[in-house]
Amino acid sequence: EDVLGLPQVGTTDDFFRIGGDSILSIKVTHKMGQKLGRDIRVADVFKYKTINKLIAHVKEDKLIEIPMTTSKSAPLSFAQERLWFIEQYESGTNAYHVPMVLEL
């Protein structure tokens, strides 16, 4: 109601049929996320267009906890490992360094 500027919104009202759009869906997900303490994606509003369906989906959705690390370094990606290997194997190559000057 607050985001759409309507006096009353029912739990079975389709968000987009009552005036919602993609920009308002961002506002709705932000406000709902704050109230519920959950991460609600904008894509969920497009998929579950009513409050009933969206809340049912949010209740089913499990939170994923990612453990915190204290490591100061991160593992290399596969592409970074490949470049590091080539650099070590060829003992310093400029194959991936293409110097040039462009004037726009």
Side-chain angles (χ1 to χ4, degrees), residues 58-86:
V58 169
K59 284 182 180 178
E60 290 175 2
D61 201 13
K62 302 286 183 212
L63 290 177
I64 299 172
E65 291 195 30
I66 301 172
M68 188 172 127
T69 181
T70 57
S71 175
K72 297 290 184 193
S73 63
L76 297 177
S77 69
F78 180 71
Q80 290 170 325
E81 284 181 0
R82 186 176 62 238
L83 289 173
W84 180 83
F85 173 77
I86 292 169

Side-chain angles (χ1 to χ4, degrees), residues 1-69:
E1 295 169 353
D2 184 40
V3 171
L4 293 170
L6 296 175
Q8 185 174 5
V9 174
T11 59
T12 58
D13 291 339
D14 185 304
F15 177 73
F16 297 101
R17 290 186 188 219
I18 59 174
D21 58 27
S22 59
I23 301 298
L24 292 177
S25 67
I26 295 169
K27 290 181 179 180
V28 163
T29 56
H30 178 71
K31 286 189 177 210
M32 285 182 73
Q34 284 180 330
K35 293 277 187 193
L36 298 174
R38 303 290 297 266
D39 181 34
I40 300 174
R41 297 180 298 269
V42 175
D44 292 340
V45 174
F46 282 88
K47 190 172 182 180
Y48 309 103
K49 297 175 179 147
T50 67
I51 294 172
N52 282 346
K53 291 178 183 175
L54 187 59
I55 294 298
H57 170 71
V58 169
K59 284 182 180 178
E60 290 175 2
D61 201 13
K62 302 286 183 212
L63 290 177
I64 299 172
E65 291 195 30
I66 301 172
M68 188 172 127
T69 181

